[in-house]
Amino acid sequence: MRFLPAITTTRPDWKKKIKEASAIGLDSVCFFLTCLKEVQRNEFYRLAGKSGLKAPFVHLRSDMKPEEIRLLKEKFGAEIFNIHSYSEYPEKYNYTGLKDLIYIENIYNPLNSRELKKFGGICLDFAHLENDRLTDAKKFKHNIAALEKFSIGCNHISCIKAKPKKERGFVRFDSHFLEDLSELDYLKNYPKKYFSDFAAIELENSPTE
């Protein structure tokens, strides 16, 4: 199993993170391109290429062209990808020939069996799953059933807070900013079979942290 530090883009410090990752000797990371439009992604690729970083695992956006995915494979050694459900972010391009490498992440909507069959399987975000356990028993039960039926190709690992916050109208205990290692203790409650060969440590903390 490979634990890959993430270069996240939810905050405007992603350029600094690329440089810092290289400076502290990281060679393999996970690219989270979630919040970057095409022009910004081109800048991301330029800086990441200059740093020499490789990204075996990449979080895609639904507005990325197939050629961009091929660039990630050829230039950065990407082997596996995840994407949000099309029920949340509609499909814009045809990924024929690439879908076996792409896994659907569990976030807001319950995992959709018809959609999962069209792709490689599930990208299991443990913190999202734990949040469901704490706030939505019906959705949690549904997603657990899906985990027994479909392949888990990759994981996201982030933290669970003691006190929840509200986001997009939902109560959420999950967070991408780690303050104490105890916020990862919930992972001990999930079976080893839920852990895949590719696990991204999806935190907004700096690479050094």
Side-chain angles (χ1 to χ4, degrees), residues 166-202:
K166 275 213 167 183
E167 179 183 309
R168 292 174 59 175
F170 295 91
V171 174
R172 304 209 66 87
F173 287 86
D174 49 343
S175 171
H176 293 138
F177 192 82
L178 182 70
E179 296 174 283
D180 191 280
L181 287 175
S182 65
E183 295 170 346
L184 299 173
D185 284 349
Y186 75 96
L187 291 166
K188 299 174 185 177
N189 299 323
Y190 288 102
K192 289 183 179 180
K193 66 181 181 179
Y194 285 2
F195 291 81
S196 68
D197 291 337
F198 296 86
I201 304 172
E202 186 187 1

Side-chain angles (χ1 to χ4, degrees), residues 2-8 17 21 24-32 53-58 157 198-209:
R2 303 169 74 177
F3 290 93
L4 298 167
I7 304 295
T8 57
K17 286 184 176 180
I24 64 175
L26 292 177
D27 54 5
S28 294
V29 297
C30 179
F31 292 166
F32 277 76
L53 289 174
K54 295 296 182 183
F57 179 15
V58 178
I157 292 175
F198 296 86
I201 304 172
E202 186 187 1
L203 297 176
E204 293 170 336
N205 302 66
S206 71
T208 300
E209 290 174 334

Side-chain angles (χ1 to χ4, degrees), residues 7 38 45 51 70 94 102 109 116 121 127 132 147 166 172 180 182 186 202 209:
I7 304 295
E38 185 173 5
Y45 301 147
S51 73
R70 294 189 183 97
N94 186 341
I102 301 174
N109 295 338
L116 291 171
D132 291 339
L147 293 172
K166 275 213 167 183
R172 304 209 66 87
D180 191 280
S182 65
Y186 75 96
E202 186 187 1
E209 290 174 334

Side-chain angles (χ1 to χ4, degrees), residues 33-46:
L33 304 171
T34 331
C35 296
L36 301 184
K37 295 183 178 180
E38 185 173 5
V39 172
Q40 295 171 304
R41 294 198 301 270
N42 289 336
E43 176 70 359
F44 185 105
Y45 301 147
R46 185 186 70 79

Side-chain angles (χ1 to χ4, degrees), residues 139-172:
K139 181 183 170 188
F140 178 75
K141 184 177 180 180
H142 172 93
N143 284 349
I144 288 292
L147 293 172
E148 298 300 322
K149 296 178 183 177
F150 294 94
S151 172
I152 302 171
C154 44
N155 300 109
H156 294 171
I157 292 175
S158 48
C159 47
I160 291 291
K161 300 294 184 180
K163 295 181 179 180
K165 62 180 180 179
K166 275 213 167 183
E167 179 183 309
R168 292 174 59 175
F170 295 91
V171 174
R172 304 209 66 87

